[in-house]
């Protein structure tokens, strides 16, 4: 019963997410609406963590498998991709390195700055 | 071979799972970043289909049930995020600042590189949403007049690259703070990168999930502005 109920809650929220995607004219997919709805429901106490966490953990754990079908579909897109492949690949490889590096440094930099500020304010007290 | 497999609804799922399992075994045996289970699985599936002359449709007939679970699984990313809400509340400035810097770096670097390669407007806007989750990225590319199918391919390749890159890059650049790692991975390589962040730890996973949502929204807002530059 436990798993049926948990799966039912998760699928229902996915379904509500689809509804939001259909009715709200924004380029936000059902999955993101669903994520925000579940987060809100957990925060507001409408859904308890215990009522979704087993199936939730299972789904998140097998998530990498879910990207395989679409990625294998690259073989179908290849004729379209081939003429632009080299410049596009160079751009995405370089740009992704830069984004990851800058984001990591900035986040870490601000975190350290805040920690330092906290320490200083403590010494003043 | 194709004809026989056409009658099977399990073939696609079996091939995906077995090749992923093979990828995991490879990674366990050789600690080499390119031995990424996801990359190995994708390459092995494609090679198998080509070698045995099996159509993608035949494969997808079984594999689509894996894709079906992607929306519910993404919804479930809310669970680790909920468990880490206090971490988010205490560090929101760093997290938001980091994500914003990431989105701007993505736009800026694509603009500069696209100019260097003399790409036209359509090609440029196809690349702009490369670091965000597929479903949002498709919408952005379509709205700005890009090639939607190529955009999907680019987003997937970016995710796989981020997944491969995350471990080494964080080590070399000394990005050690779990929050910084998670935000960096999620902002640069969306859900496919987040899979890696989840392996690293719960804080990394939660922050990466959050970054998918926020960088996605920031890209929706920012891309139309940057689209005018080229």
């Amino acid at each position: 019963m436990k798993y049926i109920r948990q799966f039912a809650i998760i699928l229902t929220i996915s379904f509500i997410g689809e509804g939001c995607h259909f009715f709200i004219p924004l380029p936000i997919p059902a999955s993101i609406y669903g994520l925000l709805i579940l987060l809100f429901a957990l925060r507001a106490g409408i859904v308890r963590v215990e009522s979704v966490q087993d199936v939730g953990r299972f789904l998140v754990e097998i998530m990498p498998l879910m990207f395989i079908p679409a990625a294998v579909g690259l073989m179908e897109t290849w004729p379209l991709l081939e003429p632009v492949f080299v410049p596009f690949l160079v751009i995405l490889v370089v740009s992704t390195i830069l984004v990851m590096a800058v984001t990591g440094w900035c986040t870490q930099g601000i975190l350290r700055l805040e920690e330092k500020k906290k320490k200083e304010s403590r010494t003043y007290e | 071979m194709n004809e026989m497999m056409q009658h099977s609804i399990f073939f696609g799922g079996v091939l995906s799972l077995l090749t992923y399992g093979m990828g995991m075994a490879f990674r366990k045996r050789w600690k080499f970043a390119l031995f990424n289970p996801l990359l190995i699985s994708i390459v092995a599936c494609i090679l198998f289909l080509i070698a045995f002359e099996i159509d993608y449709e035949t494969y997808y007939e079984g594999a689509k049930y894996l894709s079906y679970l992607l929306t519910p699984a993404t919804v479930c990313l809310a669970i680790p995020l909920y468990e880490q809400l206090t971490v988010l509340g205490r560090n929101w400035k760093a997290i938001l600042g980091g994500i914003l810097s990431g989105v701007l770096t993505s736009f800026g670097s694509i603009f500069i590189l696209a100019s260097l390669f003399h790409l036209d407007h359509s090609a440029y806007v196809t690349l702009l949403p490369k670091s965000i989750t597929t479903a949002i990225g498709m919408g952005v590319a379509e709205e700005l007049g890009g090639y939607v199918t190529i955009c999907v391919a680019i987003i997937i390749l970016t995710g796989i690259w981020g997944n491969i890159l995350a471990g080494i890059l964080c080590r070399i650049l000394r990005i050690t703070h779990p929050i910084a790692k998670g935000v960096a991975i999620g902002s640069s390589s969306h859900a496919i990168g987040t899979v890696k962040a989840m392996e690293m730890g719960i804080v990394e996973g939660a922050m990466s999930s959050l970054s998918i949502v926020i960088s996605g929204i920031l890209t929706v807002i920012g891309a139309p502005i940057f689209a005018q530059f080229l």
Side-chain angles (χ1 to χ4, degrees):
Chain A
M1 241 342 258
K2 180 174 86 176
Y3 294 111
I4 298 178
R5 229 190 47 198
Q6 295 198 5
F7 198 47
I9 294 173
I10 293 164
L11 275 196
T12 307
I13 292 175
S14 309
F15 176 61
I16 300 172
E18 280 182 322
C20 292
H21 176 68
F22 184 79
F23 288 113
I24 304 170
L26 288 173
I28 295 173
S31 55
I32 300 292
Y33 282 122
L35 194 163
L36 294 171
I37 292 167
L38 180 56
L39 186 64
F40 173 78
L42 288 167
R43 185 81 181 84
I46 303 166
V47 172
R48 284 181 311 137
V49 183
E50 298 80 46
S51 341
V52 282
Q53 71 181 1
D54 302 285
V55 174
R57 194 169 298 148
F58 170 71
L59 285 175
V60 170
E61 199 177 315
I62 65 164
M63 203 169 170
L65 295 172
M66 303 167 195
F67 296 109
I68 300 171
V72 174
L74 290 177
M75 63 187 274
E76 292 281 282
T77 331
W78 181 245
L80 275 171
L81 196 59
E82 200 188 354
V84 289
F85 189 66
V86 175
F88 278 32
L89 191 71
V90 173
I91 293 175
L92 87 80
V93 164
V94 175
S95 168
T96 306
I97 295 176
L98 290 173
V99 175
M100 206 183 273
V102 172
T103 314
W105 277 333
C106 276
T107 314
Q108 196 159 280
I110 303 172
L111 283 169
R112 297 237 164 102
L113 215 71
E114 299 237 297
E115 271 164 32
K116 219 167 127 193
K117 243 196 265 167
K118 257 178 228 158
K119 246 182 238 159
E120 270 166 22
S121 64
R122 231 173 273 149
T123 35
Y124 282 122
E125 281 162 16
Chain B
M1 193 72 165
N2 189 38
E3 211 176 315
M4 183 190 119
M5 293 308 174
Q6 269 175 355
H7 294 285
S8 165
I9 54 163
F10 293 112
F11 163 67
V14 169
L15 183 64
S16 309
L17 275 151
L18 287 183
T19 50
Y20 193 81
M22 191 178 86
M24 299 234 284
F26 271 44
R27 185 175 62 178
K28 220 172 173 186
R29 182 98 168 65
W30 296 284
K31 290 250 176 270
F32 178 52
L34 267 185
F35 283 152
N36 175 286
L38 195 59
L39 181 68
I40 289 176
S41 171
I42 294 158
V43 173
C45 282
I46 293 178
L47 291 179
F48 188 92
L49 295 181
I50 293 172
F52 292 96
E53 293 180 356
I54 301 167
D55 294 336
Y56 177 69
E57 284 78 32
T58 308
Y59 161 81
Y60 192 70
E61 197 51 45
K64 70 182 174 200
Y65 300 101
L66 292 172
S67 308
Y68 171 80
L69 290 171
L70 193 52
T71 298
T74 310
V75 170
C76 291
L77 290 177
I79 303 167
L81 188 51
Y82 169 73
E83 286 165 341
Q84 300 298 320
L85 268 185
T86 42
V87 176
L88 166 64
R90 225 178 289 136
N91 303 289
W92 66 272
K93 277 185 208 156
I95 295 166
L96 278 188
I99 298 172
L100 186 64
S101 74
V103 172
L104 291 175
T105 307
S106 181
F107 288 157
S109 61
I110 290 169
F111 170 67
I112 294 168
L113 290 161
S115 315
L116 286 177
F117 280 102
H118 303 292
L119 297 186
D120 61 13
H121 176 78
S122 305
Y124 167 59
V125 295
T126 301
L127 285 163
L128 270 186
K130 72 153 188 18
S131 280
I132 61 172
T133 195
T134 323
I136 305 183
M138 276 165 66
V140 171
E142 194 173 12
E143 197 158 317
L144 300 176
Y147 310 109
V148 177
T149 323
I150 298 179
C151 177
V152 172
I154 296 301
I155 291 175
I156 293 171
L157 289 172
T158 302
I160 298 168
W161 172 231
N163 186 306
I164 297 170
L165 183 70
I168 315 170
L169 189 119
C170 288
R171 212 175 314 129
I172 295 177
L173 299 182
R174 299 213 184 92
I175 300 168
T176 49
H177 201 297
I179 297 176
K181 278 185 186 170
V183 173
I185 297 170
S187 305
S188 59
S189 49
H190 53 90
I192 305 183
T194 300
V195 164
K196 189 74 190 181
M198 285 283 176
E199 283 173 23
M200 291 176 166
I202 179 141
V203 176
E204 287 90 334
M207 292 307 131
S208 190
S209 309
L210 176 72
S211 307
I212 301 174
V213 179
I214 298 181
S215 68
I217 293 169
L218 289 178
T219 303
V220 170
I221 301 167
I225 303 166
F226 269 80
Q228 293 166 3
F229 295 172
L230 194 78

